[in-house]
Amino acid sequence: QEYVALKLKTLEWSEKAKEVIGDKVPADADVYFIPATLRPETMYGQMAFQDIFSPWGEYHRVVSLKGSDVVGTLVHAPLSVHEKGIRILPMSTVKPTKGTGVVTCVPSDSPDDYATILDLRKKPEFYGIQKEWVVEEILPIIQTPTSNLIAKHLYETMKINSPKDQKLAEAKEIAYKEGFYSGVMVYGEFKGMSVQDAKPLVKKQLIDSGSAFNYGEPDGLVISRSG
Ligand code: ZZB
C-alpha cells in the first residue's frame, strides 16, 4: 500500500505524557506523531486523531509512552482547518499492525472515524477525555452524488450503531469508491476539482512543504512475517 505519512508536530503534551517523559526529551526538541493515510485530499478536515504505539522496526528509543499516556496531547495537523491544533483521542478499533498505529481522524469521509467520534462524544468520562476535544462541527470536504458528508450518510443509511459494527468495512469500501470516482472537492485550494485530480496535488503540496512523506507498506506484512 502506498500511504502518505503525515507529520503532526506536538504543541503541548498531556499531563501524563509530561510525567513519563520527564527530562528524557529536551524541552526544545520537535516531536512528531506520524499517522499513515490513503486520503491526503481529506486532510483539511482532521479533527482529533487516535493513538496506540506498537514497537515497529528498530529505532533508538528515547522514551516509551503508551497510547493512553498521550491522550489529550495537542498537535498541529498540516492543512487542518483547526489551525490552533487538535487533541489526541483514543480509538478502540485502531489496528496496531497497520501503518504506525497512529491514525488521523476525518469524520466527514471516514465511516470508522465518524463512528468513533459519536462514541467519544457519548461517553467522554468513560474514555477519560474532555467533551470539547471532540469538535462538534464536521467540515464537508468532498461532494459526492449522495452527500457532502459521506461517512455520516453511510452511518445513518446503513444503520451502523457502534465503532465495532461489522458493517463499517463495507461502508469504508463504498466511501473510498464514491469519494474517488465521483467526488468533487468543496473545500481548500483545489475546490471545484475532482478528487482524482486533486489527490496527487494535495499529496505533492504536503510533501513539498515538508509536512509529509511517502510511506510504502506491503499488504498483510505482519501476517506474512509471523508465517
Ligand atoms: C485519513 C482518512 C480519511 C482515511 C478518510 C480514510 C478515509 P486501508 O484501506 O485499510 O489500508 N488507518 C491507518 N492506520 C490505521 C491503523 N493502524 N488502524 C486503523 N486505521 C488505520 O486503510 C487506510 C486508512 O485506514 C487510512 O486512511 C487511515 O485513515 C486508516 F476519509 O486516513 B485514512 C473511506 C476511508 N476514508
Side-chain angles (χ1 to χ4, degrees):
Q1 288 275 35
E2 180 66 21
Y3 294 95
V4 175
L6 289 160
K7 289 167 65 180
L8 275 62
K9 188 173 174 173
T10 303
L11 302 175
E12 186 194 300
W13 289 107
S14 63
E15 288 309 316
K16 180 72 192 169
K18 271 187 214 159
E19 248 172 62
V20 178
I21 293 169
D23 57 6
K24 291 183 188 138
V25 176
D28 61 350
D30 288 339
V31 181
Y32 298 90
F33 287 81
I34 313 282
T37 182
L38 294 174
R39 303 289 310 271
E41 75 282 7
T42 66
M43 293 299 104
Y44 306 105
Q46 295 175 82
M47 43 185 298
F49 91 106
Q50 297 81 24
D51 62 89
I52 277 192
F53 289 151
S54 69
W56 180 261
E58 284 180 30
Y59 46 86
H60 173 61
R61 189 183 298 231
V62 178
V63 63
S64 179
L65 290 154
K66 283 189 291 191
S68 55
D69 296 341
V70 299
V71 165
T73 295
L74 189 71
V75 293
H76 173 262
L79 292 188
S80 172
V81 275
H82 303 291
E83 287 175 2
K84 291 196 179 128
I86 56 178
R87 298 278 175 183
I88 296 181
L89 297 174
M91 183 188 213
S92 50
T93 57
V94 78
K95 295 187 192 74
T97 50
K98 181 187 290 197
T100 56
V102 172
V103 183
T104 184
C105 176
V106 186
S108 54
D109 291 272
S110 163
D112 289 295
D113 295 351
Y114 185 77
T116 291
I117 64 151
L118 284 194
D119 208 45
L120 290 173
R121 231 184 259 156
K122 227 188 286 169
K123 304 182 279 189
E125 303 82 12
F126 174 79
Y127 286 108
I129 59 162
Q130 288 175 33
K131 205 174 179 183
E132 354 22 299
W133 291 350
V134 189
V135 181
E136 247 182 81
E137 209 165 308
I138 301 179
L139 176 77
I141 304 162
I142 293 165
Q143 177 75 53
T144 77
T146 42
S147 177
N148 64 2
L149 292 174
I150 187 80
K152 177 171 190 274
H153 174 80
L154 291 169
Y155 186 93
E156 287 165 3
T157 55
M158 293 173 77
K159 304 200 188 322
I160 292 167
N161 51 38
S162 94
K164 298 209 166 111
D165 196 313
Q166 298 292 315
K167 285 176 289 207
L168 278 167
E170 192 192 342
K172 177 170 160 178
E173 281 313 304
I174 299 172
Y176 266 137
K177 289 209 179 90
E178 196 165 316
F180 187 71
Y181 293 107
S182 37
V184 173
M185 302 296 293
V186 291
Y187 186 86
E189 198 180 322
F190 306 107
K191 193 172 164 173
M193 212 181 260
S194 72
V195 167
Q196 286 188 62
D197 290 341
K199 197 183 187 85
L201 299 177
V202 178
K203 178 172 168 176
K204 184 174 187 313
Q205 193 181 53
L206 282 164
I207 291 174
D208 289 352
S209 67
S211 304
F213 52 91
N214 282 312
Y215 168 69
E217 180 174 280
D219 245 352
L221 176 66
V222 171
I223 292 163
S224 60
R225 262 191 177 171
S226 56

